[in-house]
Amino acid sequence: MKKTISVALTGNPNVGKTTVFNTITGSRQHVGNWPGVTVEKKTGRCEYADTSIEVTDLPGTYSLTAYSADEVIARNFIIEDNPDVVVQVVDASNLERNLYLTMQLAELGRPVIVALNMVDVAEGRGDTIDEKRLSELLAMPVVRTVGTSGRGLDRLLETIIAVAAKGEKHTHTIGYGDEAEALISDLVRILDDDPALAGGYPLRWLAVRAIEGDSAVLALIEKSSVAGAVQARLQQIDLDEYEALLADKRYEAIGAILPQACTMCVRKMTGSDMIDRVVTNKYLGIPIFLALMWGAFQLTFAVAEPFMAGIEYVFGWLGEVVAGSIGNEWLASLLGDGVIGGVGGVFVFVPNIFILFLILSILEGSGYLARAAFIMDRLMYVIGLPGKSFIPMLMGFGCNVPAIMSTRTIEDDRDRLITILVNPFISCGARLPVYILFAGVFFGRDAGNVIFGLYALGIVVAILSAKLFRCTILPGESSPFIMEMPPYRIPTIKNAMLNMWEKGSMYLKKAGGIILIGSLIVWFLASYPAGVEYGSEESFAGMIGHLLEPLVSPLGLDWKIAVALIFGFVAKEIVVSSLGVLYGADEGSAALSDALLADPALSMAGALAVMVFVLLYMPCVATLGVIKKETGSWRWAGFSVLYGLVVAWILAFATFHLASYFLGGA
Amino acid sequence: MASCPLSLLSAGTTGKITGVHAGEGLRRRLYALGLIPEATVTVVTRDRGSIIVSVCGCRYALSRGMAMKVIIAPEVAAR
C-alpha cells in the first residue's frame, strides 16, 4: 500500500504560499470551510515517489497568537490534527519578519521544514543566503524554492518524505533568558500534572502562551485540574513586562541567526519604495487609481466583446435547432423559451465577469490592490469604514457573492457587517444586461452615460448607507488597521488564472443552477394554467403581476415589469429573460427591443425607474445566501432585503417623477 | 528630537520606536510584525495621518488611529 503523509503548509501572508500550494497540488484541490468559521480551507494532494502527500494550506499568519481567527485555526490544526510535517514557506527576501513565525512553530513540537521561497528575488537584490548554516542554526531542514517557476519543489517533496519517515519531534527552541526560563519550567511542571494537557499539548508552548496572556490558552488551563496552581504562579510576576520580553527575545534570537546565514538581509530603498512614493502620493494616488479602474473597465468590455458575440451566436443557433427539430410543441417551448432563452441570456455575460476578475487578480497579484485600499482609506474614513472595505466593493462590480466572501479579511465585526450590507448596492455584472437592454432601447446614443450614471448611483447609495448604518444601528469608529503592503511583483499567469477561475466559477455555478431553475419557473408560470397564450395576462405570471401592479404603478411601471422584477430576485439577469418571455419575443434581443419600444405603458422615465429599481432593490438569492452565511443569521439577510426594497422604491419613485418632469413625461 | 506619534512624521523620515501604546492584542500583533521598541522605521508615504512605513524590510499601511499608538524618536539626519 502507498504511504500517506499529511503536510500543513504555513507562512506569512504574501510569501508565495499559495503559489507553492498550487504548483505542488495542481488541480487536485478541494476548497471547503474550516469547521465553525467562515475561513476557507484548502486541501490538495500530490503523488511523489510512491508516496501520497496530503497538503493542507493553512491561513497566512504572522504569528501564532490568538489575534485573529486565522491564527487560531492555523495553530489548532498543527496541535490537534498532528500533521506529519509542517512546512513554513518563508520569503527569503524578508527573513527577519518571517522567522518570527518560525520561532513560534518550533515550540509546537511538530517537525518543521523551512521552504526558502523567492530566493531569486533575494539574490537579485544581492543577498546571499547560506541555507546550510541557516538549517544548522534553526535545527530544521531548509530548502530553497522558487514557487513561480517550480524550482526546488522536488527537493522540498523529497525532504518532506525523508522527515516524515524519521518521525521525530522537533525539540530545539529558543531560550528566553534565565528568569523567564525558570518561570517556564515551573509552569511546565505544574501543567504536567494534568494528564489531559500533558497528553494533548506541547507543554512548553502552553507555558509560553500562558505567560503572554493568550486568551485561548488561558481558557484551556482554566478548565483543567491545575488551574489554581498556574494562576498562583502567574500572579507572582508582571505579565506585561514578560510579554514584551518574550517578543524581544525572539527578535534577538533572529538577530543572532541572520548575520551568520545571510550576507545582506538588510534593505535599502528599493524599487517598491519608489513606486509607492508615486502611486500612494497624496495628490497622484487617487487620479492614478481612477485611471487604472477606467482602463480596467474599458478593457473588460473590449476584450469580452468577441466572446459575447460568439456565445450569443451559439445559443441563437441552438434555439433554432431546437425549434426546428423537436416535433412536440410543449417540449420545444420548454427547451427553447425556458432553458435556452433563459440560461443563454445570462451566459452571454460570463466573459465580462471572468475578464473583470482576471484583471482584479492581476492587480491583486502585482501588489497594487493593497495600495488601492490605502489610497481609499482617506475616503472610506469619512464614511466610517477602514480602507480594507474598499476591495470587496471593487469586486462587487463582478459579482457580489465572492465580494462578500472577501470581507473576511476585515477584523472588526461591525466594519465587516457594514461592508457586507452595502455591497449589494454595488452594481454587479448581472445587472448590466438590464441596463444594456433598457438604456439601449430608450436612450440610444446616451446609453453609455446612463449606464455610467447607474454605476455611480450604486456607489453613492452604498456610501450613504454605510454612513447611515454607522450613525444608527452599528455605531463606532472605523477600527485602526494595519495592513501589509506586499512588495510589487509581476503576477504569474497561472495564479491569476486560478484566482479568476475560483471567483468566476461561483458565478458560473449560479448561472448553471439557480438561473436554470428560475428560467423554468418563469416558463411554467407564463405557460399555465393550460391553454392560455404564452406570457399573456391570463397566465399565472400575469395574475401575479396584476396583483402587484398597484405597488409599481407609482413608479410608472406595469404588470409585466412587476413580474420580471420578482423573478429578478432569483438572479437579476432573469429580468431580461423574463421580459423576453412576457413580451413573447424569441431569443434575439432585437425583437425584445422593438416590443419594449412599442409598449405604450413604458416611457423613458419609466425605463430609468426600472433601471434604478433593478440596481438597488434587493440582493439576488445567491447573494442573500452568502449574506446569511457570512453574518451567521437570517436577521441581517432579511434586513438587507427590506432596506434594499425601501431605498429602491423611494429612489425609483423620485427618478420617475423627476425624469417625467424634465424629459416631458410619458 | 523628542519622541512623537508615528502619524506626525513626514515622508522620508527615519526613526526608532520607543514605545507602543496599545491594548495587549494589538500590541502582540504589532510585535509580530516587527514593530517593536528599538526597531528602525522609515516613513514611505504619509496622507493625513495614515502612513505607509518600512520596517525591517516590509511595508505596512497604518491607519491614523494605529499610527498614533506607535511612539517614535526621529533621527535628526532625515534623508
Side-chain angles (χ1 to χ4, degrees):
Chain A
M1 210 188 84
K2 258 190 183 176
K3 266 188 303 183
T4 304
I5 298 177
S6 60
V7 173
L9 199 61
T10 174
N12 286 179
N14 307 310
V15 295
K17 190 165 66 71
T18 305
T19 312
V20 170
F21 179 73
N22 286 342
T23 316
I24 291 181
T25 61
S27 54
R28 287 149 303 191
Q29 296 182 5
H30 173 76
V31 181
N33 263 354
W34 293 93
V37 285
T38 50
V39 176
E40 221 166 59
K41 177 180 186 176
K42 274 192 192 168
T43 51
R45 176 186 284 279
C46 137
E47 310 288 334
Y48 190 85
D50 267 350
T51 314
S52 176
I53 302 176
E54 281 271 349
V55 188
T56 304
D57 191 17
L58 298 180
T61 59
Y62 295 106
S63 64
L64 293 175
T65 62
Y67 182 75
S68 66
D70 286 356
E71 298 189 352
V72 175
I73 287 166
R75 74 183 198 193
N76 282 358
F77 182 82
I78 296 173
I79 295 169
E80 287 160 16
D81 288 54
N82 259 323
D84 294 312
V85 180
V86 177
V87 173
Q88 186 196 354
V89 181
V90 160
D91 177 358
S93 62
N94 191 353
L95 274 179
E96 185 170 7
R97 214 264 323 277
N98 279 261
L99 289 179
Y100 192 83
L101 178 64
T102 318
M103 298 291 141
Q104 296 192 320
L105 283 171
E107 286 170 352
L108 289 177
R110 303 307 308 164
V112 181
I113 298 172
V114 171
L116 210 51
N117 201 29
M118 304 201 275
V119 272
D120 51 337
V121 179
E123 287 176 348
R125 239 180 26 211
D127 288 355
T128 44
I129 300 171
D130 180 353
E131 79 266 23
K132 283 208 190 75
R133 186 81 189 109
L134 188 62
S135 166
E136 284 166 25
L137 292 165
L138 292 171
M140 298 171 180
V142 176
V143 182
R144 295 166 159 254
T145 58
V146 179
T148 45
S149 69
R151 209 175 86 198
L153 291 183
D154 282 347
R155 273 283 318 280
L156 179 63
L157 293 173
E158 282 160 17
T159 315
I160 288 172
I161 293 169
V163 169
K166 262 197 265 165
E168 286 170 2
K169 284 196 165 190
H170 183 86
T171 50
H172 182 87
T173 56
I174 64 162
Y176 289 108
D178 293 345
E179 213 178 321
E181 284 299 328
L183 177 61
I184 292 171
S185 57
D186 280 357
L187 285 175
V188 167
R189 216 173 310 119
I190 298 170
L191 292 168
D192 201 25
D193 285 341
D194 184 329
L197 289 181
Y201 297 89
L203 293 179
R204 183 180 165 83
W205 177 76
L206 275 187
V208 170
R209 300 303 318 152
I211 294 170
E212 287 189 285
D214 185 304
S215 49
V217 166
L218 287 177
L220 186 75
I221 293 175
E222 194 73 32
K223 278 182 279 175
S224 74
S225 60
V226 293
V230 172
Q231 280 303 334
R233 183 68 186 89
L234 286 179
Q235 259 156 27
Q236 295 168 13
I237 55 160
D238 178 3
L239 284 175
D240 276 356
E241 196 180 298
Y242 270 91
E243 194 198 319
L245 176 89
L246 297 193
D248 224 35
K249 285 284 178 190
R250 283 187 199 114
Y251 276 111
E252 211 172 87
I254 296 166
I257 290 171
L258 271 187
Q260 299 185 54
C262 177
T263 50
M264 306 254 297
C265 288
V266 182
R267 250 205 335 197
K268 298 178 291 293
M269 179 98 169
T270 61
S272 278
D273 285 339
M274 298 290 206
I275 300 174
D276 268 342
R277 289 259 154 104
V278 179
V279 303
T280 62
N281 180 279
K282 209 192 294 195
Y283 306 106
L284 294 175
I286 288 183
I288 290 175
F289 169 75
L290 289 177
L292 273 173
M293 285 304 111
W294 185 81
F297 278 92
Q298 292 293 321
L299 199 62
T300 300
F301 291 108
V303 177
E305 187 86 47
F307 291 100
M308 291 172 76
I311 292 175
E312 216 161 43
Y313 177 81
V314 168
F315 274 94
W317 173 80
L318 262 179
E320 272 170 36
V321 168
V322 166
S325 61
I326 297 180
N328 183 327
E329 204 178 303
W330 180 85
L331 192 64
S333 167
L334 173 70
L335 286 177
D337 296 329
V339 177
I340 296 173
V343 176
V346 171
F347 252 89
V348 171
F349 299 95
V350 167
N352 263 320
I353 286 164
F354 269 70
I355 290 164
L356 184 61
F357 278 134
L358 180 64
I359 293 174
L360 288 179
S361 298
I362 291 171
L363 285 177
E364 192 179 3
S366 73
Y368 181 75
L369 221 46
R371 272 74 182 183
F374 175 78
I375 295 164
M376 297 313 285
D377 188 55
R378 176 159 44 152
L379 289 182
M380 301 301 280
Y381 184 79
V382 177
I383 58 172
L385 286 177
K388 268 186 194 177
S389 298
F390 184 71
I391 293 173
M393 286 195 172
L394 208 57
M395 289 177 55
F397 288 120
C399 173
N400 298 119
V401 172
I404 288 174
M405 291 172 88
S406 75
T407 59
R408 289 170 186 172
T409 53
I410 300 167
E411 283 113 0
D412 185 81
D413 285 343
R414 287 187 171 179
D415 290 351
R416 179 158 181 244
L417 193 52
I418 293 179
T419 311
I420 290 174
L421 289 177
V422 303
N423 202 276
F425 294 129
I426 301 296
S427 190
C428 66
R431 277 164 258 192
L432 190 62
V434 183
Y435 307 154
I436 292 177
L437 176 66
F438 279 91
V441 169
F442 288 93
F443 292 91
R445 288 174 64 95
D446 290 325
N449 293 331
V450 170
I451 293 174
F452 182 80
L454 285 161
Y455 274 88
L457 177 68
I459 297 169
V460 169
V461 171
I463 288 174
L464 292 180
S465 300
K467 186 78 186 157
L468 179 69
F469 295 155
R470 222 4 145 196
C471 295
T472 53
I473 49 174
L474 293 162
E477 286 200 2
S478 78
S479 57
F481 79 99
I482 180 162
M483 196 166 73
E484 187 181 1
M485 303 276 113
Y488 289 100
R489 284 178 200 136
I490 296 177
T492 64
I493 307 265
K494 186 175 176 184
N495 271 306
M497 295 300 257
L498 270 172
N499 197 337
M500 169 193 83
W501 177 251
E502 230 171 71
K503 296 193 177 106
S505 59
M506 287 185 215
Y507 178 82
L508 263 189
K509 274 184 209 149
K510 185 177 99 171
I514 296 173
I515 294 174
L516 175 62
I517 294 166
S519 305
L520 290 178
I521 294 174
V522 176
W523 176 82
F524 172 80
L525 291 176
S527 312
Y528 288 83
V532 299
E533 200 187 322
Y534 188 68
S536 67
E537 298 192 49
E538 290 77 31
S539 66
F540 284 131
M543 292 182 213
I544 296 172
H546 278 290
L547 205 64
L548 290 168
E549 200 162 20
L551 275 177
V552 295
S553 59
L555 313 179
L557 309 174
D558 70 348
W559 68 273
K560 290 195 184 99
I561 306 282
V563 174
L565 287 174
I566 293 183
F567 294 135
F569 170 55
V570 175
K572 302 219 170 165
E573 311 89 320
I574 294 185
V575 169
V576 173
S577 51
S578 9
L579 284 174
V581 168
L582 293 168
Y583 277 91
D586 291 334
E587 181 59 27
S589 53
L592 179 55
S593 305
D594 293 344
L596 282 173
L597 208 52
D599 187 346
L602 266 175
S603 61
M604 274 166 98
L608 274 180
V610 173
M611 290 188 279
V612 168
F613 201 82
V614 167
L615 166 67
L616 305 170
Y617 76 129
M618 60 168 118
C620 67
V621 166
T623 309
L624 198 65
V626 101
I627 293 177
K628 192 257 154 188
K629 203 174 124 208
E630 298 294 318
T631 60
S633 85
W634 280 112
R635 226 177 45 148
W636 287 114
F639 172 81
S640 108
V641 170
L642 276 181
Y643 180 77
L645 279 173
V646 170
V647 168
W649 199 91
I650 293 172
L651 285 178
F653 182 81
T655 304
F656 176 66
H657 287 280
L658 282 176
S660 300
Y661 181 76
F662 286 112
L663 297 172
Chain B
M1 218 164 132
S3 295
C4 68
L6 185 53
S7 60
L8 302 180
L9 297 194
S10 53
T13 322
T14 297
K16 258 198 171 73
I17 296 180
T18 56
V20 175
H21 297 272
E24 59 169 309
L26 226 109
R27 197 168 60 226
R28 230 180 278 140
R29 170 71 149 198
L30 290 169
Y31 285 174
L33 297 175
L35 289 152
I36 48 168
E38 291 299 295
T40 304
V41 300
T42 305
V43 178
V44 179
T45 12
R46 173 174 182 275
D47 183 5
R48 299 209 311 179
S50 296
I51 53 165
I52 296 181
V53 294
S54 167
V55 57
C56 68
C58 305
R59 252 160 280 105
Y60 302 105
L62 283 81
S63 66
R64 180 163 60 175
M66 192 70 100
M68 287 296 286
K69 296 178 201 293
V70 179
I71 308 300
I72 195 161
E75 271 169 23
V76 184
R79 267 177 298 170

